[in-house]
Amino acid sequence: MPNAPVIRSDVPGSFPWAVFHERHPELVRRVLDALPYGPAERAAVERLLLESTTGLLEPPEEDTPDAARWREWGEPVWGSPWGEAPFLWAESYFYRRLLDATGYFGPGAWQGIDPFAPFKNAELAGTAVDEELAALDRLDDLPKPRREAALLSSALWGNRADLGFQLTAGPGGAASSDLLADDSAQLRSELERARGGWSASSRTTRAGSYCRTSC
C-alpha cells in the first residue's frame, strides 16, 4: 500500500496554509497583547512569524535544553522553506520556537513563563468549566447508548478547546453539522467486538479515527 501524501502548508487557500498565514498571526497578536514582553521578545516573535511564512527552517540554538532532539528530528528539513516541511511537524516546531522567542528557556524575567497562561487561566476560571464537569457527573444516569454517544462526542469536540481553533470558530460553536465524517456506528461495532467492549481508554484513543470535524 502506498504511503499517504505528506500534508504541507505551501498550498495557498488550504487549511495548513491558513494556519501559518492567518491563524498564527492572530495568535501572535493576542500573545503580545496579553503579556508585557519587552522589545527583545516582541522583535523575536515578529521575526519568527515572518520566518515561518517566508523564510527557511533553522534549527534551535544549541544552548536550549531540547536542542539536540529538535536538531535530530529536523535533520531532513533544515534549510528548506517552512511550507515544504510536514505540516504537523512544522506547526509543532512553530510553538517550540515561540517559547524560545518569548524567553521561556531563559535566563531572564520570562524564563518558564507560559505565553498562553492568561488564556488558560481565564478559561479555567469561567463558568463553562463548572458546567461541563457537572454534565459529566450526570452521565452515569443516562442509558448506555446515550452515555456512549456523549463520551464520543466529548472526545471529538474537546479539540475545539484549543486556542487556535477558537480564533476561527463561529459564534455558534461546535455542532453536528460541522462533521466531515461520522463513522461512530462503525466505531461502536468494532469496540463491541473487541475484548472488553466499549471502554473509556479505547474510546479516547480511537475516536479521532472515526469522526472528523471541519475545524
Side-chain angles (χ1 to χ4, degrees):
M1 179 180 296
N3 292 330
V6 176
I7 298 175
R8 308 190 330 185
S9 59
D10 57 353
V11 180
S14 66
F15 171 76
W17 186 92
V19 167
F20 276 88
H21 292 262
E22 298 173 5
R23 184 173 292 178
H24 285 175
E26 175 64 15
L27 187 71
V28 163
R29 183 191 65 78
R30 294 195 183 192
V31 167
L32 295 181
D33 286 347
L35 290 168
Y37 288 116
E41 290 79 22
R42 291 176 178 274
V45 170
E46 294 291 353
R47 285 196 302 270
L48 169 62
L49 192 60
L50 182 63
E51 177 190 320
S52 67
T53 53
T54 64
L56 305 179
L57 280 158
E58 301 292 341
E61 297 294 333
E62 292 185 356
D63 58 352
T64 49
D66 59 351
R69 282 176 291 177
W70 275 104
R71 284 172 171 262
E72 179 182 354
W73 293 335
E75 185 62 35
V77 296
W78 299 135
S80 302
W82 279 71
E84 294 183 4
F87 166 61
L88 183 58
W89 186 94
E91 187 180 24
S92 299
Y93 188 55
F94 176 87
Y95 286 108
R96 159 60 180 79
R97 288 282 304 279
L98 183 62
L99 289 177
D100 204 5
T102 56
Y104 182 88
F105 296 106
W110 296 104
Q111 185 177 35
I113 302 299
D114 181 359
F116 299 105
F119 313 111
K120 296 175 181 177
N121 293 337
E123 191 165 337
L124 290 173
T127 58
V129 174
D130 295 333
E131 293 171 357
E132 290 170 2
L133 292 175
L136 289 175
D137 290 336
R138 297 191 293 270
L139 285 180
D140 288 342
D141 297 329
L142 294 176
K144 183 181 177 182
R146 290 186 59 193
R147 183 169 65 251
E148 293 174 352
L151 288 171
L152 178 58
S153 178
S154 65
L156 174 65
W157 294 117
N159 202 32
R160 285 289 182 109
D162 182 274
L163 176 63
F165 290 137
Q166 292 180 24
L167 298 179
T168 55
S176 59
S177 59
D178 290 331
L179 287 176
L180 296 178
D182 183 1
D183 296 321
S184 54
Q186 180 184 351
L187 171 63
R188 281 192 287 270
S189 177
E190 290 201 12
L191 290 176
E192 288 297 333
R193 288 198 299 268
R195 181 177 177 181
W198 181 278
S199 69
S201 59
S202 59
R203 177 264 307 168
T204 55
T205 56
R206 301 191 66 184
S209 298
Y210 287 84
C211 297
R212 297 178 295 281
T213 74
S214 60
C215 60

mmCIF file of all heavy atoms in Angstrom, residues 42-59:
data_model
loop_
_atom_site.group_PDB
_atom_site.id
_atom_site.type_symbol
_atom_site.label_atom_id
_atom_site.label_comp_id
_atom_site.label_asym_id
_atom_site.label_seq_id
_atom_site.Cartn_x
_atom_site.Cartn_y
_atom_site.Cartn_z
ATOM 1 N N ARG A 42 9.439 40.827 21.797
ATOM 2 C CA ARG A 42 8.486 41.175 20.753
ATOM 3 C C ARG A 42 9.128 41.093 19.363
ATOM 4 O O ARG A 42 8.524 40.591 18.411
ATOM 5 C CB ARG A 42 7.914 42.566 21.002
ATOM 6 C CG ARG A 42 7.014 42.622 22.222
ATOM 7 C CD ARG A 42 6.507 44.025 22.529
ATOM 8 N NE ARG A 42 5.621 43.978 23.672
ATOM 9 C CZ ARG A 42 4.312 43.709 23.609
ATOM 10 N NH1 ARG A 42 3.757 43.507 22.427
ATOM 11 N NH2 ARG A 42 3.575 43.655 24.700
ATOM 12 N N ALA A 43 10.344 41.581 19.267
ATOM 13 C CA ALA A 43 11.039 41.525 17.986
ATOM 14 C C ALA A 43 11.300 40.076 17.576
ATOM 15 O O ALA A 43 11.173 39.717 16.395
ATOM 16 C CB ALA A 43 12.344 42.304 18.064
ATOM 17 N N ALA A 44 11.654 39.224 18.547
ATOM 18 C CA ALA A 44 11.926 37.813 18.244
ATOM 19 C C ALA A 44 10.666 37.104 17.766
ATOM 20 O O ALA A 44 10.708 36.276 16.846
ATOM 21 C CB ALA A 44 12.494 37.118 19.475
ATOM 22 N N VAL A 45 9.542 37.422 18.374
ATOM 23 C CA VAL A 45 8.278 36.814 17.960
ATOM 24 C C VAL A 45 7.912 37.257 16.547
ATOM 25 O O VAL A 45 7.485 36.449 15.712
ATOM 26 C CB VAL A 45 7.154 37.170 18.951
ATOM 27 C CG1 VAL A 45 5.796 36.735 18.395
ATOM 28 C CG2 VAL A 45 7.400 36.502 20.302
ATOM 29 N N GLU A 46 8.074 38.532 16.261
ATOM 30 C CA GLU A 46 7.766 39.030 14.918
ATOM 31 C C GLU A 46 8.692 38.399 13.873
ATOM 32 O O GLU A 46 8.256 38.087 12.762
ATOM 33 C CB GLU A 46 7.890 40.552 14.885
ATOM 34 C CG GLU A 46 6.862 41.287 15.745
ATOM 35 C CD GLU A 46 5.445 41.184 15.216
ATOM 36 O OE1 GLU A 46 5.263 40.656 14.093
ATOM 37 O OE2 GLU A 46 4.514 41.629 15.920
ATOM 38 N N ARG A 47 9.963 38.208 14.224
ATOM 39 C CA ARG A 47 10.890 37.554 13.289
ATOM 40 C C ARG A 47 10.464 36.127 13.020
ATOM 41 O O ARG A 47 10.533 35.641 11.880
ATOM 42 C CB ARG A 47 12.314 37.585 13.846
ATOM 43 C CG ARG A 47 12.997 38.938 13.756
ATOM 44 C CD ARG A 47 14.507 38.804 13.955
ATOM 45 N NE ARG A 47 14.839 38.197 15.242
ATOM 46 C CZ ARG A 47 15.027 38.900 16.362
ATOM 47 N NH1 ARG A 47 14.909 40.234 16.345
ATOM 48 N NH2 ARG A 47 15.339 38.291 17.484
ATOM 49 N N LEU A 48 10.021 35.438 14.072
ATOM 50 C CA LEU A 48 9.556 34.058 13.897
ATOM 51 C C LEU A 48 8.359 34.016 12.970
ATOM 52 O O LEU A 48 8.275 33.146 12.081
ATOM 53 C CB LEU A 48 9.197 33.450 15.259
ATOM 54 C CG LEU A 48 8.459 32.114 15.218
ATOM 55 C CD1 LEU A 48 9.318 31.032 14.558
ATOM 56 C CD2 LEU A 48 8.045 31.685 16.631
ATOM 57 N N LEU A 49 7.424 34.937 13.143
ATOM 58 C CA LEU A 49 6.241 34.960 12.306
ATOM 59 C C LEU A 49 6.617 35.166 10.845
ATOM 60 O O LEU A 49 6.090 34.484 9.956
ATOM 61 C CB LEU A 49 5.309 36.074 12.776
ATOM 62 C CG LEU A 49 3.891 36.080 12.201
ATOM 63 C CD1 LEU A 49 3.169 34.792 12.542
ATOM 64 C CD2 LEU A 49 3.137 37.283 12.718
ATOM 65 N N LEU A 50 7.533 36.071 10.587
ATOM 66 C CA LEU A 50 7.974 36.318 9.218
ATOM 67 C C LEU A 50 8.723 35.113 8.659
ATOM 68 O O LEU A 50 8.496 34.696 7.513
ATOM 69 C CB LEU A 50 8.870 37.558 9.179
ATOM 70 C CG LEU A 50 9.383 37.976 7.794
ATOM 71 C CD1 LEU A 50 8.226 38.351 6.885
ATOM 72 C CD2 LEU A 50 10.368 39.124 7.930
ATOM 73 N N GLU A 51 9.600 34.539 9.471
ATOM 74 C CA GLU A 51 10.382 33.379 9.025
ATOM 75 C C GLU A 51 9.481 32.209 8.679
ATOM 76 O O GLU A 51 9.699 31.506 7.686
ATOM 77 C CB GLU A 51 11.370 32.970 10.114
ATOM 78 C CG GLU A 51 12.186 31.732 9.776
ATOM 79 C CD GLU A 51 12.972 31.212 10.978
ATOM 80 O OE1 GLU A 51 13.513 32.035 11.729
ATOM 81 O OE2 GLU A 51 13.031 29.980 11.158
ATOM 82 N N SER A 52 8.441 31.992 9.487
ATOM 83 C CA SER A 52 7.589 30.817 9.292
ATOM 84 C C SER A 52 6.698 30.925 8.065
ATOM 85 O O SER A 52 6.109 29.924 7.637
ATOM 86 C CB SER A 52 6.732 30.577 10.539
ATOM 87 O OG SER A 52 5.783 31.618 10.709
ATOM 88 N N THR A 53 6.572 32.112 7.498
ATOM 89 C CA THR A 53 5.739 32.280 6.304
ATOM 90 C C THR A 53 6.552 32.566 5.041
ATOM 91 O O THR A 53 6.079 32.290 3.936
ATOM 92 C CB THR A 53 4.730 33.425 6.507
ATOM 93 O OG1 THR A 53 5.423 34.609 6.923
ATOM 94 C CG2 THR A 53 3.708 33.044 7.562
ATOM 95 N N THR A 54 7.761 33.116 5.202
ATOM 96 C CA THR A 54 8.547 33.473 4.010
ATOM 97 C C THR A 54 9.978 32.963 4.053
ATOM 98 O O THR A 54 10.685 33.069 3.044
ATOM 99 C CB THR A 54 8.594 35.002 3.837
ATOM 100 O OG1 THR A 54 9.291 35.591 4.957
ATOM 101 C CG2 THR A 54 7.190 35.583 3.764
ATOM 102 N N GLY A 55 10.421 32.412 5.193
ATOM 103 C CA GLY A 55 11.822 32.056 5.348
ATOM 104 C C GLY A 55 12.087 30.570 5.338
ATOM 105 O O GLY A 55 11.240 29.753 4.941
ATOM 106 N N LEU A 56 13.286 30.222 5.792
ATOM 107 C CA LEU A 56 13.742 28.839 5.813
ATOM 108 C C LEU A 56 13.789 28.310 7.237
ATOM 109 O O LEU A 56 13.966 29.068 8.197
ATOM 110 C CB LEU A 56 15.141 28.738 5.185
ATOM 111 C CG LEU A 56 15.295 29.298 3.774
ATOM 112 C CD1 LEU A 56 16.737 29.141 3.313
ATOM 113 C CD2 LEU A 56 14.339 28.605 2.803
ATOM 114 N N LEU A 57 13.639 27.021 7.369
ATOM 115 C CA LEU A 57 13.681 26.376 8.682
ATOM 116 C C LEU A 57 15.104 26.360 9.214
ATOM 117 O O LEU A 57 16.024 25.867 8.553
ATOM 118 C CB LEU A 57 13.154 24.946 8.583
ATOM 119 C CG LEU A 57 11.637 24.801 8.560
ATOM 120 C CD1 LEU A 57 11.241 23.471 7.935
ATOM 121 C CD2 LEU A 57 11.072 24.907 9.971
ATOM 122 N N GLU A 58 15.275 26.897 10.407
ATOM 123 C CA GLU A 58 16.574 26.927 11.065
ATOM 124 C C GLU A 58 16.490 26.144 12.368
ATOM 125 O O GLU A 58 15.480 26.208 13.075
ATOM 126 C CB GLU A 58 17.007 28.366 11.349
ATOM 127 C CG GLU A 58 17.113 29.244 10.111
ATOM 128 C CD GLU A 58 18.256 28.820 9.198
ATOM 129 O OE1 GLU A 58 19.162 28.103 9.678
ATOM 130 O OE2 GLU A 58 18.238 29.207 8.009
ATOM 131 N N PRO A 59 17.527 25.397 12.719
ATOM 132 C CA PRO A 59 17.488 24.627 13.966
ATOM 133 C C PRO A 59 17.541 25.537 15.177
ATOM 134 O O PRO A 59 17.980 26.690 15.084
ATOM 135 C CB PRO A 59 18.738 23.747 13.876
ATOM 136 C CG PRO A 59 19.657 24.503 12.975
ATOM 137 C CD PRO A 59 18.780 25.201 11.970
#
